[in-house]
Amino acid sequence: MILRRVLAASVIGGALVLNTAQAQTILPDPVTGEEVKMGTQAGLDAWIAEFRPRALAAGIPAATFDAALRGVEFNPKVVERDRNQNEFTKTIWDYLDTAVSDDRVALGRQAIDRHRALLDRIAADYGVEKEVVAAVWGLESAYGTYRGDLPVLGSLATLAYDGRRAAFFEAELIAALRIIAGGHVDRFAGSWAGASGHTQFMPSSWEKFAVDFDGDGKRNLWGEDPSDALASTANYLRHWGWTTGQPWGIEVRLPEGFDYDQTTERVVKPVADWQAMGVRTVFGADLPDHGPGSILLPGGHRGAAFLIWPNFQVIERYNTADAYVIAIGSLSDRLKDGPPIQSGWPRDLRALTLDERRELQDRLTQAGFDAGGVDGRMGPKTVAAVKAFQKARGLIPDGYPSLEVLNLLR
Ligand code: CA
């Protein structure tokens, strides 16, 4: 009854194939524990027939619909990925090792050299620094090298029919059909959840933010030429409030005895206040004043500390994970010949598994610290609950969900 067993029996030539005869396999949802039905090709075909009138009512021409969705394949891998996306996590330091590797920095400098005129024009038009645009490009597709090879329509149709977020993916599928109906691209491939192109836009983001920067009449994020994709990324960041010249953040050093209740995005103070509390740059200099900001400790009190400004929240519009935002920021710094992150990380700690994260939330709640539910996500409520627990036990209340904290609750 476990999906894994069915799939293990169906690995053919390295590819995962789900036998359609095993219709409606039952597997437990990793988050809720509920048993959910696993779809089939026949189920997808029936869903497409049922979806067709809705797509046509949304303005998709029948000829486009029929040509684009003919032969579209059910992809069990994207369903499994969607259900398991919380399961595997890395620590921020493991993530940054890969995301901001020396190789990615070197390739980024080459990419900027190769596209300098383009990136300068984009920076002038949109007010987003070329190193920031290049950093998004570098993280999303290794500067256009890995743009994903799954047919976007297949992924979106599969997830709209069988996923946990059917309405969301159906809207994305309609947006993808509009891209094709508008003649911007014939067919396109991307990563498992339907993000595609040089900077991995979802189709709905293409609709709202893509621009025709090279002036050929098409908003094409998928060709070899990255002009439209990079300008679209700058347009996206500008729309969400990018401030030209404001750093995403800087690495700082906290004074002895610093009040760790202050280390959260929820606390915003003028730089002069942080300075008065003894915060300095990691090199010991006075803090530069870019307006009110927050202190962040993404790896706990033994890791790096950052003073962040509103551009941090703008990058969050791409991906809300602190690790992602810090990777974009740090990579852009490196591309400007700035220093790497100076502080070490608590590399002896490992990331909690999904089961352990849920157990942590469950045990915190039972101990009287409201963790905001048992979903495995270490959101602001869980971090606040960890801090409260640490305080009650006389530990440094940095809010970091470590195995040590979990073991103390056991
Ligand atoms: Ca174009």
Side-chain angles (χ1 to χ4, degrees), residues 182-366:
H184 297 276
V185 72
D186 292 335
R187 60 188 61 232
F188 54 117
S191 52
W192 67 272
S196 67
H198 286 267
T199 50
Q200 298 288 288
F201 268 40
M202 291 299 287
S204 59
S205 291
W206 174 89
E207 288 202 293
K208 293 191 198 90
F209 303 110
V211 295
D212 174 22
F213 199 69
D214 65 5
D216 70 349
K218 296 174 180 182
R219 297 190 280 156
N220 186 345
L221 313 183
W222 306 277
E224 285 307 307
D225 181 347
S227 302
D228 288 1
L230 299 182
S232 299
T233 292
N235 187 42
Y236 184 91
L237 295 173
R238 178 178 70 168
H239 172 85
W240 292 113
W242 187 263
T243 301
T244 312
Q246 181 187 72
W248 63 278
I250 58 165
E251 192 180 351
V252 294
R253 188 194 292 166
L254 304 180
E256 201 80 17
F258 188 76
D259 173 9
Y260 284 90
D261 277 346
Q262 310 290 317
T263 61
T264 162
E265 275 187 75
R266 290 169 168 180
V267 174
V268 181
K269 288 182 192 295
V271 164
D273 287 11
W274 295 122
Q275 175 83 20
M277 290 169 73
V279 181
R280 297 291 180 271
T281 76
V282 75
F283 300 107
D286 288 345
L287 300 174
D289 193 352
H290 295 282
S294 306
I295 304 279
L296 214 57
L297 270 184
H301 69 279
R302 290 161 58 209
F306 300 94
L307 170 57
I308 60 168
W309 282 286
N311 275 349
F312 187 98
Q313 280 91 26
V314 176
I315 301 171
E316 280 182 340
R317 296 286 181 167
Y318 239 95
N319 184 324
T320 55
D322 284 348
Y324 177 87
V325 179
I326 291 166
I328 293 285
S330 179
L331 180 56
S332 69
D333 288 347
R334 297 288 306 278
L335 295 175
K336 288 175 190 165
D337 293 326
I341 293 169
Q342 301 291 304
S343 307
W345 297 101
R347 287 181 183 270
D348 53 306
L349 302 184
R350 66 164 174 81
L352 297 185
T353 64
L354 176 63
D355 280 348
E356 287 169 341
R357 297 200 302 273
R358 294 170 65 183
E359 184 190 346
L360 176 72
Q361 290 173 316
D362 189 34
R363 288 184 185 276
L364 280 168
T365 305
Q366 289 191 19

Side-chain angles (χ1 to χ4, degrees), residues 140-165:
E140 293 294 337
S141 71
Y143 311 101
T145 316
Y146 298 102
R147 281 172 268 162
D149 53 9
L150 294 173
V152 169
L153 295 181
S155 300
L156 293 176
T158 295
L159 291 166
Y161 149 61
D162 196 38
R164 297 175 298 129
R165 297 173 286 161

Side-chain angles (χ1 to χ4, degrees), residues 120-142:
D120 281 340
R121 270 192 297 132
I122 289 171
D125 283 10
Y126 296 96
V128 182
E129 294 82 347
K130 60 176 172 291
E131 295 86 358
V132 173
V133 173
V136 174
W137 192 21
L139 233 60
E140 293 294 337
S141 71

